[in-house]
Amino acid sequence: WLKSMSAFANTLGGQLIFGVADNGECVGLEQPEKDAEDLSEIIKNSLDPVPQFDLSFHKEEDKTFVIVSVAPGAATPYYVLLKGHRDAYIRIGNESVKAGSIDLKRLVLKGSQRDWDSLSSGHKRTTFAFETLRAEYFARTSLEFTDNTTRCWPRSGKWRGVARGTRRIGKSAAFLLPTEASIFTTER
């Protein structure tokens, strides 16, 4: 059940109900107050960081259940510390599964209020294919390519149109670079 706590905190939150047998029978707890205290201690000693959770009691007929509500966590990843291992879990469908390496990276980013798109590439603008576009444009037209360039070069004797919003890069029309300038297309 600690794996489920980790998975709930790492994803969308959830609830665990204690007092239900493995076969689904509602049996209740004999000492719900003591069980709630024990659960709280186990959670505090076995999860890192400790997720936000709430313990509540539910009575149905003569049976009492403890409900552990786990909030979606902001400080992901939440790890289970058991038997010398430190593992994070996520929910996939109705299962709690061990987070893979990509899942862990996503959780670390989420925990730092970032996502993949917010990461800088570390590459300089001059290393991108945009420079290939500049060089090819110059080779075909003997003109410098700037952000204000709005004309195309001829290919197979035909001039093609210019579209605002993207630029063709390289020799394939399949590669487009989003910009505020133009797109260069060729006859196919």
Side-chain angles (χ1 to χ4, degrees):
W1 61 270
L2 287 169
K3 294 175 184 180
S4 294
M5 291 278 302
S6 167
F8 288 152
N10 283 328
T11 53
L12 302 174
Q15 293 183 320
L16 293 169
I17 302 172
F18 291 87
V20 179
D22 290 340
N23 65 3
E25 181 184 353
C26 295
V27 295
L29 298 170
E30 292 180 19
Q31 299 177 332
E33 290 81 13
K34 181 184 180 317
D35 291 335
E37 288 177 25
D38 292 345
L39 289 170
S40 182
E41 282 303 309
I42 292 169
I43 292 167
K44 290 187 279 185
N45 293 322
S46 302
L47 291 170
D48 182 38
V50 177
Q52 181 180 343
F53 69 96
D54 182 54
L55 295 170
S56 61
F57 299 97
H58 176 77
K59 290 188 179 230
E60 191 164 309
E61 298 174 8
D62 60 341
K63 299 171 184 155
T64 303
F65 303 88
V66 173
I67 300 173
V68 180
S69 299
V70 184
T76 60
Y78 291 87
Y79 294 96
V80 176
L81 310 172
L82 285 177
K83 300 177 185 171
H85 294 281
R86 179 182 176 94
D87 297 313
Y89 293 83
I90 58 171
R91 293 294 286 182
I92 296 180
N94 64 347
E95 294 182 76
S96 298
V97 297
K98 188 174 174 182
S101 61
I102 296 296
D103 298 316
L104 283 172
K105 290 174 184 174
R106 182 183 50 76
L107 290 169
V108 167
L109 288 172
K110 178 183 170 189
S112 59
Q113 285 72 48
R114 296 168 59 197
D115 60 24
W116 292 110
D117 293 333
S118 69
L119 299 177
S120 66
S121 69
H123 293 283
K124 295 181 181 176
R125 180 177 175 179
T126 57
T127 63
F128 289 110
F130 188 76
E131 293 305 313
T132 304
L133 175 63
R134 285 185 198 275
E136 188 161 336
Y137 183 79
F138 183 78
R140 291 184 184 204
T141 65
S142 298
L143 299 171
E144 290 296 322
F145 187 89
T146 67
D147 288 341
N148 296 323
T149 301
T150 59
R151 62 181 283 211
C152 301
W153 56 79
R155 183 176 173 109
S156 305
K158 296 183 180 180
W159 284 94
R160 301 294 291 163
V162 177
R164 308 274 310 158
T166 56
R167 285 196 185 117
R168 176 183 172 270
I169 55 175
K171 295 181 180 177
S172 170
F175 297 101
L176 302 175
L177 176 66
T179 68
E180 293 184 18
S182 308
I183 182 171
F184 295 93
T185 60
T186 57
E187 197 66 24
R188 283 234 171 227

